[in-house]
Amino acid sequence: GLSLIKFQGTGIRQIFDFYLSRIFVPGLLLIQVFMALRGKRRRQKKVALAAGLCFVVFFSGCAAIEPEKRMYPLALGAEWSEDGWTLIYGMPELPGAEGQEKEETGNSTLAITGVDFETIEKIYDRSQEKYLDMGHLQVLILKNQLVQSEHWKELLAYLEKEPLIGENVYVFRSEYPEQIMKWNKNGSSTGEYLLGILENRIPEQEKNGVTLRQVYQQHYENNTLPDIPEIILQDEEIQACLE
């Protein structure tokens, strides 16, 4: 019941990582230390307890990053050209990345271009003050040109190495992914809107989307991509071509 409560827009999705790393895991370790020390001599208790506390401090507290110091992209766009890769993060009110231009229109996107994904990550790290948390990604949008080439395999290899990106992320394609990513209407981001098209329906009206898990599976089986649904922007409205 408590997980359904939100306070000032903050809910279980934003605080779970903090709770898990700073409260649950350290608390469980302390309980185990006390249980192990029951019936032992006082000196042994002090030594073991001190070791347990050191473990908690050095392996959980220091590594944790508070939720308010993170950015949570809901959508990720990917483009490839001869100049390299462009990743477009769908997240709110970020300053422009180093060497990147961004219109001051309140759009919740950040586009970074680099020769490879490692370069893009380095540009983000040295130009943005908040940690990039990909654990809430809901939608992946590929440029049509990328789908038609062989470079999508490089993108899949990169995504597989990201432990926070789940395989239940929905995959789309578009001729203009950056325009789709910048779309914003009635306070809904692109990720939330597309997720709603697929999931906020009664069973008789549910649409079939393609997940990252299905993309991985077909890639492993026959080295091809499944039929990825296309997104078009018509009359300032997003339309997803789903079966």
Side-chain angles (χ1 to χ4, degrees):
L2 292 175
S3 68
L4 301 177
I5 298 176
K6 288 189 176 182
F7 178 72
Q8 296 182 348
T10 300
I12 189 67
R13 286 180 177 269
Q14 288 73 39
I15 66 174
F16 181 75
D17 290 342
F18 175 81
Y19 163 75
L20 189 65
S21 61
R22 300 294 291 273
I23 299 176
F24 180 80
V25 173
L28 187 61
L29 288 174
L30 287 176
I31 291 174
Q32 291 177 335
V33 169
F34 281 116
M35 293 294 292
L37 294 178
R38 180 178 297 179
K40 299 295 181 70
R41 289 179 299 176
R42 183 175 299 178
R43 185 174 180 180
Q44 290 176 326
K45 290 183 180 181
K46 291 182 179 180
V47 173
L49 181 58
L53 289 175
C54 290
F55 180 84
V56 170
V57 170
F58 287 106
F59 289 93
S60 63
C62 297
I65 301 176
E66 291 80 358
E68 63 271 15
K69 296 181 181 179
R70 300 181 181 217
M71 277 299 176
Y72 304 93
L74 298 181
L76 177 66
E79 301 181 2
W80 179 88
S81 67
E82 294 182 355
D83 297 327
W85 288 89
T86 298
L87 294 183
I88 310 159
Y89 302 94
M91 51 191 175
E93 298 181 2
L94 283 177
E98 180 176 302
Q100 308 297 318
E101 296 182 357
K102 178 177 180 289
E103 297 180 0
E104 295 298 327
T105 60
N107 293 319
S108 56
T109 60
L110 174 67
I112 303 180
T113 299
V115 294
D116 52 33
F117 300 112
E118 182 180 359
T119 301
I120 291 176
E121 290 180 346
K122 289 180 178 179
I123 292 175
Y124 181 92
D125 288 339
R126 67 173 180 252
S127 63
Q128 303 298 323
E129 75 278 14
K130 294 191 176 182
Y131 174 74
L132 184 63
D133 189 334
M134 301 296 289
H136 300 270
L137 189 66
Q138 298 173 338
V139 171
L140 174 64
I141 303 176
L142 310 178
K143 189 175 178 65
N144 285 342
Q145 180 184 2
L146 174 59
V147 174
Q148 296 165 0
S149 70
E150 293 292 313
H151 292 281
W152 56 267
K153 299 176 183 179
E154 301 173 28
L155 178 64
L156 290 187
Y158 166 70
L159 295 176
E160 284 184 300
K161 296 178 182 178
E162 294 294 324
L164 295 179
I165 298 180
E167 294 186 353
N168 58 340
V169 173
Y170 287 108
V171 183
F172 295 89
R173 61 183 177 90
S174 174
E175 186 63 30
Y176 307 102
E178 188 164 3
Q179 293 183 18
I180 298 294
M181 294 283 292
K182 289 183 177 180
W183 179 89
N184 192 310
K185 185 175 181 180
N186 298 327
S188 295
S189 67
T190 301
E192 294 171 325
Y193 188 81
L194 292 174
L195 189 67
I197 289 178
L198 291 168
E199 297 185 352
N200 297 344
R201 298 290 186 272
I202 60 176
E204 292 78 10
Q205 298 177 346
E206 287 183 352
K207 304 294 184 179
N208 294 323
V210 174
T211 65
L212 199 52
R213 179 182 296 107
Q214 292 171 297
V215 173
Y216 287 145
Q217 182 177 357
Q218 184 155 331
H219 172 44
Y220 295 146
E221 290 179 352
N222 52 30
N223 204 28
T224 60
L225 284 174
D227 187 12
I228 298 176
E230 184 176 15
I231 305 173
I232 59 175
L233 186 61
Q234 185 174 7
D235 299 329
E236 298 184 356
E237 293 288 344
I238 285 181
Q239 298 181 16
C241 302
L242 301 165
E243 296 182 358

